[in-house]
Amino acid sequence: MAGYAFAQMEFPFKATLFVLLLISLMVPIQTMIIPLYVIMRSLGLLGTHGAIIVPGMIGAFAPGLSGVFGVFLMRQFFMTMPKDLIDAGKVDGAGPLRIFWTIAAPLAKPQMAALAIIVFTMTWNDYFVPLVFMLTGDKQVLPLAIVGISGGRGGEVSTAVILAAVSMSILPILIAFLAMQRLIVESFMRAGVK
């Protein structure tokens, strides 16, 4: 919704807010990890998968669904949307919220699918944040486990076991891509036509 607002609506300080949003893209997670750690500890989420899921969904350390990258990506799509569609909704008496839900959001499904794949891949492959938030070894995420079995934390394991673990880590991303492949191809086709 924020991407739509930045693309199609007029409000005070719109350009300034968007520049601040883009500047926040340049802030690395390493600068925010201590406040995030304190927040997750106060919520009692340390050592659980919630410590990764909650900040990830809001885009605190990865391009989350409502994070800065998601807003930027969706804004770029909504900027290309014809103004005539918006005007037609206004003529029919629809307000900004109804125009978004009935006109803009259905047109943005391919871009939302592409964003979902990007967010899923970034979150699935993240190494740094789980390393900080997952304190115990029994709830480790796959990238940490692969490093653990590959000898990065001591011990020697065969190459076949490491390759099997890496293959297993690729499967969820492949399945997610195949499930949304039609929408992703459609988004590339729309971008090529424009």
PDB file of all heavy atoms in Angstrom, residues 87-106:
ATOM      1  N   ASP A  87      -8.370   7.217 -12.840  1.00  0.00           N
ATOM      2  CA  ASP A  87      -9.426   8.188 -13.122  1.00  0.00           C
ATOM      3  C   ASP A  87     -10.769   7.500 -13.348  1.00  0.00           C
ATOM      4  O   ASP A  87     -11.811   8.012 -12.929  1.00  0.00           O
ATOM      5  CB  ASP A  87      -9.060   9.036 -14.336  1.00  0.00           C
ATOM      6  CG  ASP A  87      -7.866   9.936 -14.065  1.00  0.00           C
ATOM      7  OD1 ASP A  87      -7.587  10.205 -12.874  1.00  0.00           O
ATOM      8  OD2 ASP A  87      -7.203  10.362 -15.040  1.00  0.00           O
ATOM      9  N   ALA A  88     -10.755   6.337 -13.996  1.00  0.00           N
ATOM     10  CA  ALA A  88     -12.000   5.593 -14.208  1.00  0.00           C
ATOM     11  C   ALA A  88     -12.601   5.163 -12.871  1.00  0.00           C
ATOM     12  O   ALA A  88     -13.822   5.220 -12.692  1.00  0.00           O
ATOM     13  CB  ALA A  88     -11.739   4.375 -15.086  1.00  0.00           C
ATOM     14  N   GLY A  89     -11.749   4.748 -11.933  1.00  0.00           N
ATOM     15  CA  GLY A  89     -12.245   4.392 -10.610  1.00  0.00           C
ATOM     16  C   GLY A  89     -12.827   5.585  -9.881  1.00  0.00           C
ATOM     17  O   GLY A  89     -13.852   5.476  -9.204  1.00  0.00           O
ATOM     18  N   LYS A  90     -12.193   6.750 -10.034  1.00  0.00           N
ATOM     19  CA  LYS A  90     -12.702   7.961  -9.393  1.00  0.00           C
ATOM     20  C   LYS A  90     -14.048   8.367  -9.984  1.00  0.00           C
ATOM     21  O   LYS A  90     -14.948   8.806  -9.266  1.00  0.00           O
ATOM     22  CB  LYS A  90     -11.694   9.099  -9.541  1.00  0.00           C
ATOM     23  CG  LYS A  90     -10.476   8.932  -8.670  1.00  0.00           C
ATOM     24  CD  LYS A  90      -9.484  10.059  -8.899  1.00  0.00           C
ATOM     25  CE  LYS A  90      -8.224   9.842  -8.090  1.00  0.00           C
ATOM     26  NZ  LYS A  90      -7.207  10.857  -8.379  1.00  0.00           N
ATOM     27  N   VAL A  91     -14.171   8.241 -11.302  1.00  0.00           N
ATOM     28  CA  VAL A  91     -15.434   8.582 -11.966  1.00  0.00           C
ATOM     29  C   VAL A  91     -16.557   7.676 -11.471  1.00  0.00           C
ATOM     30  O   VAL A  91     -17.694   8.108 -11.296  1.00  0.00           O
ATOM     31  CB  VAL A  91     -15.280   8.486 -13.507  1.00  0.00           C
ATOM     32  CG1 VAL A  91     -16.624   8.523 -14.197  1.00  0.00           C
ATOM     33  CG2 VAL A  91     -14.399   9.602 -14.011  1.00  0.00           C
ATOM     34  N   ASP A  92     -16.229   6.413 -11.211  1.00  0.00           N
ATOM     35  CA  ASP A  92     -17.232   5.474 -10.706  1.00  0.00           C
ATOM     36  C   ASP A  92     -17.551   5.696  -9.235  1.00  0.00           C
ATOM     37  O   ASP A  92     -18.381   4.996  -8.671  1.00  0.00           O
ATOM     38  CB  ASP A  92     -16.755   4.030 -10.904  1.00  0.00           C
ATOM     39  CG  ASP A  92     -16.820   3.615 -12.362  1.00  0.00           C
ATOM     40  OD1 ASP A  92     -17.490   4.310 -13.145  1.00  0.00           O
ATOM     41  OD2 ASP A  92     -16.199   2.587 -12.710  1.00  0.00           O
ATOM     42  N   GLY A  93     -16.859   6.640  -8.597  1.00  0.00           N
ATOM     43  CA  GLY A  93     -17.156   6.969  -7.209  1.00  0.00           C
ATOM     44  C   GLY A  93     -16.329   6.205  -6.191  1.00  0.00           C
ATOM     45  O   GLY A  93     -16.649   6.213  -5.007  1.00  0.00           O
ATOM     46  N   ALA A  94     -15.290   5.545  -6.626  1.00  0.00           N
ATOM     47  CA  ALA A  94     -14.454   4.788  -5.693  1.00  0.00           C
ATOM     48  C   ALA A  94     -13.456   5.708  -5.009  1.00  0.00           C
ATOM     49  O   ALA A  94     -12.904   6.614  -5.626  1.00  0.00           O
ATOM     50  CB  ALA A  94     -13.714   3.679  -6.442  1.00  0.00           C
ATOM     51  N   GLY A  95     -13.235   5.456  -3.732  1.00  0.00           N
ATOM     52  CA  GLY A  95     -12.240   6.207  -2.979  1.00  0.00           C
ATOM     53  C   GLY A  95     -10.859   5.592  -3.180  1.00  0.00           C
ATOM     54  O   GLY A  95     -10.701   4.570  -3.861  1.00  0.00           O
ATOM     55  N   PRO A  96      -9.842   6.190  -2.577  1.00  0.00           N
ATOM     56  CA  PRO A  96      -8.474   5.694  -2.760  1.00  0.00           C
ATOM     57  C   PRO A  96      -8.283   4.245  -2.320  1.00  0.00           C
ATOM     58  O   PRO A  96      -7.593   3.476  -2.981  1.00  0.00           O
ATOM     59  CB  PRO A  96      -7.626   6.631  -1.898  1.00  0.00           C
ATOM     60  CG  PRO A  96      -8.463   7.829  -1.667  1.00  0.00           C
ATOM     61  CD  PRO A  96      -9.879   7.406  -1.779  1.00  0.00           C
ATOM     62  N   LEU A  97      -8.910   3.856  -1.215  1.00  0.00           N
ATOM     63  CA  LEU A  97      -8.756   2.483  -0.731  1.00  0.00           C
ATOM     64  C   LEU A  97      -9.406   1.478  -1.671  1.00  0.00           C
ATOM     65  O   LEU A  97      -8.841   0.419  -1.970  1.00  0.00           O
ATOM     66  CB  LEU A  97      -9.362   2.370   0.671  1.00  0.00           C
ATOM     67  CG  LEU A  97      -8.716   1.381   1.609  1.00  0.00           C
ATOM     68  CD1 LEU A  97      -7.231   1.652   1.755  1.00  0.00           C
ATOM     69  CD2 LEU A  97      -9.387   1.418   2.962  1.00  0.00           C
ATOM     70  N   ARG A  98     -10.584   1.810  -2.153  1.00  0.00           N
ATOM     71  CA  ARG A  98     -11.280   0.898  -3.075  1.00  0.00           C
ATOM     72  C   ARG A  98     -10.545   0.815  -4.411  1.00  0.00           C
ATOM     73  O   ARG A  98     -10.457  -0.258  -5.010  1.00  0.00           O
ATOM     74  CB  ARG A  98     -12.709   1.355  -3.294  1.00  0.00           C
ATOM     75  CG  ARG A  98     -13.452   0.416  -4.212  1.00  0.00           C
ATOM     76  CD  ARG A  98     -14.897   0.378  -3.959  1.00  0.00           C
ATOM     77  NE  ARG A  98     -15.492  -0.633  -4.829  1.00  0.00           N
ATOM     78  CZ  ARG A  98     -16.666  -0.506  -5.388  1.00  0.00           C
ATOM     79  NH1 ARG A  98     -17.399   0.561  -5.136  1.00  0.00           N
ATOM     80  NH2 ARG A  98     -17.130  -1.444  -6.168  1.00  0.00           N
ATOM     81  N   ILE A  99     -10.007   1.929  -4.876  1.00  0.00           N
ATOM     82  CA  ILE A  99      -9.227   1.922  -6.120  1.00  0.00           C
ATOM     83  C   ILE A  99      -8.021   1.010  -5.955  1.00  0.00           C
ATOM     84  O   ILE A  99      -7.703   0.210  -6.844  1.00  0.00           O
ATOM     85  CB  ILE A  99      -8.793   3.354  -6.520  1.00  0.00           C
ATOM     86  CG1 ILE A  99     -10.016   4.167  -6.967  1.00  0.00           C
ATOM     87  CG2 ILE A  99      -7.735   3.317  -7.614  1.00  0.00           C
ATOM     88  CD1 ILE A  99      -9.728   5.626  -7.195  1.00  0.00           C
ATOM     89  N   PHE A 100      -7.377   1.089  -4.789  1.00  0.00           N
ATOM     90  CA  PHE A 100      -6.224   0.220  -4.558  1.00  0.00           C
ATOM     91  C   PHE A 100      -6.629  -1.245  -4.577  1.00  0.00           C
ATOM     92  O   PHE A 100      -6.006  -2.058  -5.261  1.00  0.00           O
ATOM     93  CB  PHE A 100      -5.552   0.570  -3.226  1.00  0.00           C
ATOM     94  CG  PHE A 100      -4.458  -0.394  -2.871  1.00  0.00           C
ATOM     95  CD1 PHE A 100      -3.239  -0.335  -3.514  1.00  0.00           C
ATOM     96  CD2 PHE A 100      -4.665  -1.381  -1.924  1.00  0.00           C
ATOM     97  CE1 PHE A 100      -2.228  -1.242  -3.212  1.00  0.00           C
ATOM     98  CE2 PHE A 100      -3.669  -2.286  -1.611  1.00  0.00           C
ATOM     99  CZ  PHE A 100      -2.452  -2.221  -2.254  1.00  0.00           C
ATOM    100  N   TRP A 101      -7.673  -1.604  -3.805  1.00  0.00           N
ATOM    101  CA  TRP A 101      -8.038  -3.023  -3.670  1.00  0.00           C
ATOM    102  C   TRP A 101      -8.679  -3.607  -4.919  1.00  0.00           C
ATOM    103  O   TRP A 101      -8.512  -4.801  -5.192  1.00  0.00           O
ATOM    104  CB  TRP A 101      -8.972  -3.222  -2.479  1.00  0.00           C
ATOM    105  CG  TRP A 101      -8.258  -3.144  -1.171  1.00  0.00           C
ATOM    106  CD1 TRP A 101      -8.406  -2.174  -0.231  1.00  0.00           C
ATOM    107  CD2 TRP A 101      -7.251  -4.030  -0.673  1.00  0.00           C
ATOM    108  NE1 TRP A 101      -7.551  -2.410   0.823  1.00  0.00           N
ATOM    109  CE2 TRP A 101      -6.839  -3.549   0.573  1.00  0.00           C
ATOM    110  CE3 TRP A 101      -6.662  -5.185  -1.166  1.00  0.00           C
ATOM    111  CZ2 TRP A 101      -5.876  -4.178   1.346  1.00  0.00           C
ATOM    112  CZ3 TRP A 101      -5.704  -5.815  -0.397  1.00  0.00           C
ATOM    113  CH2 TRP A 101      -5.319  -5.320   0.839  1.00  0.00           C
ATOM    114  N   THR A 102      -9.426  -2.828  -5.683  1.00  0.00           N
ATOM    115  CA  THR A 102     -10.138  -3.396  -6.833  1.00  0.00           C
ATOM    116  C   THR A 102      -9.439  -3.195  -8.170  1.00  0.00           C
ATOM    117  O   THR A 102      -9.693  -3.948  -9.108  1.00  0.00           O
ATOM    118  CB  THR A 102     -11.566  -2.808  -6.932  1.00  0.00           C
ATOM    119  OG1 THR A 102     -11.488  -1.394  -7.053  1.00  0.00           O
ATOM    120  CG2 THR A 102     -12.390  -3.203  -5.724  1.00  0.00           C
ATOM    121  N   ILE A 103      -8.563  -2.192  -8.264  1.00  0.00           N
ATOM    122  CA  ILE A 103      -7.903  -1.925  -9.546  1.00  0.00           C
ATOM    123  C   ILE A 103      -6.402  -2.200  -9.463  1.00  0.00           C
ATOM    124  O   ILE A 103      -5.860  -3.000 -10.228  1.00  0.00           O
ATOM    125  CB  ILE A 103      -8.154  -0.463 -10.001  1.00  0.00           C
ATOM    126  CG1 ILE A 103      -9.647  -0.222 -10.220  1.00  0.00           C
ATOM    127  CG2 ILE A 103      -7.378  -0.173 -11.280  1.00  0.00           C
ATOM    128  CD1 ILE A 103     -10.017   1.222 -10.472  1.00  0.00           C
ATOM    129  N   ALA A 104      -5.728  -1.537  -8.529  1.00  0.00           N
ATOM    130  CA  ALA A 104      -4.268  -1.588  -8.494  1.00  0.00           C
ATOM    131  C   ALA A 104      -3.728  -2.933  -7.999  1.00  0.00           C
ATOM    132  O   ALA A 104      -2.826  -3.510  -8.612  1.00  0.00           O
ATOM    133  CB  ALA A 104      -3.732  -0.457  -7.634  1.00  0.00           C
ATOM    134  N   ALA A 105      -4.249  -3.435  -6.883  1.00  0.00           N
ATOM    135  CA  ALA A 105      -3.714  -4.681  -6.297  1.00  0.00           C
ATOM    136  C   ALA A 105      -3.859  -5.884  -7.239  1.00  0.00           C
ATOM    137  O   ALA A 105      -2.904  -6.654  -7.388  1.00  0.00           O
ATOM    138  CB  ALA A 105      -4.350  -4.953  -4.947  1.00  0.00           C
ATOM    139  N   PRO A 106      -5.011  -6.068  -7.899  1.00  0.00           N
ATOM    140  CA  PRO A 106      -5.082  -7.205  -8.836  1.00  0.00           C
ATOM    141  C   PRO A 106      -4.086  -7.095  -9.993  1.00  0.00           C
ATOM    142  O   PRO A 106      -3.553  -8.110 -10.452  1.00  0.00           O
ATOM    143  CB  PRO A 106      -6.514  -7.161  -9.355  1.00  0.00           C
ATOM    144  CG  PRO A 106      -7.287  -6.478  -8.279  1.00  0.00           C
ATOM    145  CD  PRO A 106      -6.337  -5.463  -7.709  1.00  0.00           C
TER     146      PRO A 106
END
